[in-house]
Structure formats: C-alpha cells, structure tokens
Amino acid sequence: MDSILVTGNGPLNGQIPIAGAKNACLTLMPATLLSEEPLTLTNAPRLSDIKTMTQLLQSLGAEVSSLQDGQVQAMSSHNIDNHVAEYDIVRKMRASNLVLGPMLARLGQAVVSLPGGCAIGARPMDLHIHGLEALGAEIELKEGYLHAKAPRGLKGAEIELSFASVGATENIMMAATLAKGTTVIRNAAREPEIVDLADCLKKMGAHIDGAGSSSIIIEGVDRLHGATHPVVTDRIELGTYMLAPAICGGEVELLGGRMDLVGAFAEKLDQAGINVSETDKGLLVSRNNGRVKAVDVTTEPFPGFPTDLQAQMMALMCTAEGTSVLEEKIFENRFMHAPELTRMGANIEVHGGTATVTGVERLKGAPVMATDLRASVSLILAGLAAEGETLVNRVYHLDRGYEHVVRKFSGVGAKIERIKGS
Ligand code: UD1
C-alpha cells in the first residue's frame, strides 16, 4: 500500500488549482439514470470515488466514458438493463446509494445494497427511505439490500426531513423530478452541491425551485432530456488547501476558489489571524509571522462550518496559541485523526463529540495512519508544519477525494512525495 512522506519545509507560496467537487459529481453522475439522453459533465475531478461511481453506473447498463484525462464524464442511460446495485461496488462508497432515487423514478424498481464508505459513524438511510416512501415507493430491507418498487409510479408529496441530510435531499429531489405532481422537501439540505444538482436537473428539463434554501419545490415532468453541465468547485478541497499557508505560513492563491462556498470556514480563519481575500482568479490566503490564535469550531450543515473540514482545522489548531474546542455535530465518530495527531506531539482530549486542543509551539514528525478521507489530509497538513519527517500510511483514502495531491502541495514548495508500497 502506498504512503506519503512529508517533511516540514517552511512557508508555502504560489498557486493551487481547485478541482470540481467530488460530492457534487457523485450526485450528478446518477442523474444520468433519469434520462435516455446523454448527460455530459465537465470539470469532473480525477478521483477513485468517481471511478467507483462509473463502475456502478456501468453495472446497471449505463455507458460512461471519461474524456480529456477524466475531466469530462460522458454518460448515456438509454439502455438500463439491470436494477441491482451490488454490494461489491456499493460497499466501497456510501454515495452509491444515490442511484436509488433515480432508478426508482425511471424504472419503477431498484435494489440497492446498503452502503459502506468512511467509517465515521452509523450513517443510516432512514431519511432516504421515508422520503421515497412518501412518494409512494414500497421499500423492504432483505439480506443487506433495499428492495424498492413503485409499480404505479411515484407521486408528489410534502416531505419534512427530521435532519437536513445531503444524500436524502439529493435522492428525493432526483426521484421527484419524474413523479406525478408537486413535491415539497422541507428542512432540505442547503449545500452548494444540492444547488449544483438542481441546476443540472433544470438543464435536463426538471422544474425545481428553492434549491439552496430549506424548502425545495419540485414539479414532476414526464421525461428529462440530455444536458451538459460543469461540476461546481470543490469547497472541501478549497478549504483544505486554504489551510496550507495557514499552517505553514506564506501566501497561496487558490484558483477557482469562491468565498460563498467557504463563508463560515473563512470566518474562522479570519478569527485565527489568517488573511483571506478575493482575487480575479480565486482566493488569496496568507499568514503573517507569529502563531495563529485558537478558535472554537462547531460543525453544522451548510452554511455552517463543514464537518468535512473539521479534521484539517484540528491540524491547524494543534499549533495555535491557546486552547480551542472543536464540536462535531454531524457524525458521531469523527475524531479518529486525534490519536494520530497526538503521535505528532499534539495535545488533544476527546470526550464524546468534543475535542479540546491546546496548541503546541511545533509538532514533530512521526509515522501515522490515515483512518478516513479527511483525516488523511489533516495528517499531511500537520506533517507540513512539523519538525522532521511524517510518513502517512494507508493513503488510499486520500485518492478517493484529492486529485494530484502531491503535485498540488509540491507546486507551492512543500516537500512531499508518494512512496510506492508493495
Ligand atoms: C454528504 C457528503 C459527506 C459529508 C456529509 C455531511 C457526499 C457524497 N458526501 O454525506 O462528505 O460529510 O454530506 O456534510 O455528498 N443520516 C441519518 N439518516 C439518513 C441519512 C443521514 O440519520 O437517512 C445522518 C448521518 O448518519 C449523519 C448525518 O445524517 O450523521 C449527515 O448525513 P448526510 O447529510 O446524509 O451525509 P451524506 O449525504 O452521507
């Protein structure tokens, strides 16, 4: 298994291009199942999760080709001849569950294995199931698979989510585009990826209002057609690389970065003493001399501070002046990076969903283990700021969500290399 070797090397300077959003692409790709006509996505990120979604769609009979070095995903679902999403593919990635709503809407049936994904909590699917049942689907769990059918088609309904789940909002929204009548999703997730999905569905002929607010209204149509859509910028990759100059010092411009995608996060950086400003090409982040200040962080659904940036923010707080409290409100088991950061000399105490971090002057390099996608990159950030060498093992998690990670960090002067494993 490959690992990544990082050596603390002082301030970082230069530019980093930000890719299209993994989480947007993973919901845009299943949208192809809603139409017989081709869907083309541009600005797709080059990630193993995108390959997994490609395999899943192909297993259902969709044609998927990656063009221009994987940046363009051209898809066609004119011939869907299988309605079973097998465990072997689904277990690799939770977002596989996003084929459920579209398949059900288009084919009237779907069998989807319960997913796997990052080991960061229970992550059940009850909200997806209740939402689709409200649209008239009958759903049963048998031997680890959800068996869903809608023999008489789906019918619009009012659905109130008890939690603003991203995946449930996406699945219900996609299914409702082909349902008869009007669907209203209340307490819907407001993430930019939801807005991006709605924009793409609208290009395909769907009638959707309110995406980005907590009430989404979908007027069902008989059929959707083909479209071409650029994937929105990855706000988590953006936030991650914004932390590179924050933790190491220096000045880095994030090409394609947008403040509206990272508002709550940028505000915390500002409180910590990091400068963030908008430029013609993206966002510019710099840190002056001296240590960053400790700030408290609570993760929340968008527009709050994203759970997917909590591990990386913790890496920054490990070297801050003072004590910060990080509260994780989205996933119950998302501090697995804390013991690894502790191996590097960090001072972290975890109690339930709260981590208290007392900053140290300097972290020290150590061999560490990547436990999930965002944890992996937090260890790289910590390693960049540490004295000596940090070897991050089990980096396959990283390939799921960060394209060209070594190239992007070394482009701004970081000392980082990938070491091929056996
Ligand atoms: C998406 C993102 C993930 C991000 C998360 C929260 C994708 C592919 N992944 O995941 O990177 O960390 O949003 O911003 O877009 N829940 C239930 N029942 C359900 C569904 C969810 O209880 O039916 C709970 C989960 O256990 C979790 C919380 O709701 O505690 C958030 O989950 P959700 O918003 O659905 O996240 P995902 O869509 O899985």
Side-chain angles (χ1 to χ4, degrees):
M1 231 177 274
D2 292 4
S3 45
I4 287 194
L5 183 66
V6 186
T7 313
N9 192 30
L12 303 177
N13 289 289
Q15 295 177 320
I16 300 178
I18 304 302
K22 168 181 88 76
N23 287 350
C25 204
L26 289 176
T27 185
L28 291 163
M29 290 177 76
T32 185
L33 297 168
L34 289 163
S35 172
E36 291 191 350
E37 294 180 22
L39 174 64
T40 302
L41 300 176
T42 58
N43 196 35
R46 291 158 280 204
L47 302 169
S48 65
D49 269 7
I50 302 303
K51 287 194 185 132
T52 304
M53 184 56 84
T54 299
Q55 281 169 11
L56 177 59
L57 293 174
Q58 285 170 334
S59 77
L60 301 172
E63 287 162 25
V64 185
S65 19
S66 294
L67 312 168
Q68 292 174 23
D69 185 25
Q71 282 235 273
V72 176
Q73 298 288 318
M75 295 164 289
S76 170
S77 299
H78 65 94
N79 187 25
I80 299 301
D81 52 9
N82 172 25
H83 63 278
V84 183
E86 295 286 354
Y87 177 66
D88 260 1
I89 303 180
V90 175
R91 71 182 168 79
K92 294 187 193 160
M93 180 179 76
R94 177 174 166 85
S96 308
N97 63 14
L98 294 169
V99 299
L100 178 61
M103 265 208 287
L104 191 58
R106 166 104 176 273
L107 308 175
Q109 58 179 344
V111 176
V112 177
S113 166
L114 280 179
C118 280
I120 54 176
R123 303 180 97 187
M125 275 191 69
D126 54 323
L127 301 170
H128 301 239
I129 295 168
H130 292 157
L132 295 172
E133 282 176 341
L135 296 178
E138 293 160 22
I139 304 181
E140 264 188 293
L141 176 65
K142 283 191 263 180
E143 291 161 1
Y145 282 76
L146 292 172
H147 291 248
K149 54 184 186 200
R152 289 175 298 283
L154 296 172
K155 252 179 86 187
E158 295 231 352
I159 297 160
E160 168 115 28
L161 296 176
S162 56
F163 177 83
S165 154
V166 175
T169 303
E170 292 167 342
N171 243 333
I172 299 165
M173 185 161 78
M174 284 193 275
T177 58
L178 293 180
K180 282 205 171 54
T182 308
T183 298
V184 182
I185 310 175
R186 297 198 197 286
N187 195 27
R190 293 184 280 165
E191 271 66 4
E193 294 75 26
I194 305 275
V195 177
D196 202 38
L197 174 63
D199 286 346
C200 177
L201 293 170
K202 285 196 265 188
K203 285 181 198 160
M204 294 169 75
H207 294 171
I208 303 175
D209 262 333
S213 78
S214 46
S215 269
I216 304 180
I217 303 163
I218 306 124
E219 205 70 62
V221 294
D222 287 339
R223 59 184 295 278
L224 295 179
H225 50 74
T228 297
H229 179 79
V231 180
V232 68
T233 299
D234 195 318
R235 64 197 166 93
I236 306 302
E237 193 200 27
L238 171 62
T240 300
Y241 288 118
M242 285 168 79
L243 283 168
I247 200 162
C248 295
E251 185 176 271
V252 173
E253 189 176 18
L254 295 313
L255 304 176
R258 276 168 35 196
M259 198 64 107
D260 61 312
L261 296 175
V262 285
F265 171 72
E267 215 169 281
K268 287 294 169 188
L269 289 189
D270 179 59
Q271 287 168 18
I274 308 296
N275 310 310
V276 182
S277 58
E278 293 179 282
T279 67
D280 290 349
K281 294 186 205 143
L283 296 180
L284 188 68
V285 179
S286 65
R287 192 187 107 196
N288 305 330
N289 293 333
R291 283 170 71 183
V292 296
K293 295 191 219 72
V295 289
D296 295 339
V297 170
T298 302
T299 64
E300 284 167 0
F302 192 85
F305 191 100
T307 174
D308 286 352
L309 285 172
Q310 178 260 109
Q312 301 89 312
M313 189 67 178
M314 188 186 285
L316 179 68
M317 288 301 106
C318 286
T319 57
E321 196 157 18
T323 297
S324 53
V325 177
L326 289 92
E327 243 187 298
E328 175 55 59
K329 294 265 202 190
I330 310 292
F331 293 110
E332 69 268 31
N333 187 19
R334 205 171 198 182
F335 286 132
M336 287 177 303
H337 40 283
E340 301 300 317
L341 290 167
T342 305
R343 290 175 52 74
M344 300 177 69
N347 184 349
I348 307 169
E349 273 180 46
V350 175
H351 291 289
T354 303
T356 306
V357 184
T358 305
V360 296
E361 188 104 29
R362 190 92 201 261
L363 293 171
K364 295 201 168 58
V368 286
M369 192 69 84
T371 50
D372 69 58
L373 168 54
R374 307 303 170 187
S376 340
V377 85
S378 78
L379 297 172
I380 292 183
L381 286 167
L384 290 172
E387 196 180 319
E389 290 188 341
T390 296
L391 186 68
V392 184
N393 292 297
R394 265 213 224 149
V395 293
Y396 60 88
H397 288 292
L398 201 64
D399 298 331
R400 291 187 44 211
Y402 290 91
E403 64 166 41
H404 302 316
V405 70
V406 168
R407 193 194 298 174
K408 289 191 184 187
F409 274 121
S410 50
V412 290
K415 210 166 163 210
I416 175 169
E417 63 180 300
R418 189 169 182 122
I419 298 176
K420 286 267 164 227
S422 48

